[in-house]
Amino acid sequence: MSIRFRQYGEPRPFAFIATGAVLGIVVGVLIYLLNPDNGDYSARTAFGYLAVFCGLLGGLLGGVVASVLSYRR
């Protein structure tokens, strides 16, 4: 019995964007955990800002990577 895999000619941009966003959120959480509380924002607010900002930045970078990979083909 043989297993057939489907090969795609183009990278899927949504997969790159979603992966970049998740990795960005993980980086935001790590930044939050490694930095001491400075007192300007509450802990939840700082966590939310970092998660959203890093998630958006990661998604943007994932989209750039997907477009570069699709351009090279």
Side-chain angles (χ1 to χ4, degrees):
M1 181 164 150
S2 64
I3 299 173
R4 294 184 183 196
F5 292 102
R6 229 174 118 175
Q7 292 182 347
Y8 296 99
E10 295 285 325
R12 293 181 161 189
F14 180 75
F16 280 88
I17 293 170
T19 303
V22 169
L23 289 176
I25 290 171
V26 169
V27 168
V29 168
L30 288 176
I31 291 171
Y32 168 74
L33 292 175
L34 294 176
N35 284 333
D37 185 25
N38 63 0
D40 290 341
Y41 297 104
S42 70
R44 287 183 181 178
T45 304
F47 175 75
Y49 283 152
L50 281 171
V52 168
F53 178 73
C54 292
L56 289 174
L57 189 62
L60 178 67
L61 289 175
V64 168
V65 169
S67 63
V68 166
L69 289 177
S70 67
Y71 177 75
R72 293 181 62 180
R73 289 184 176 251

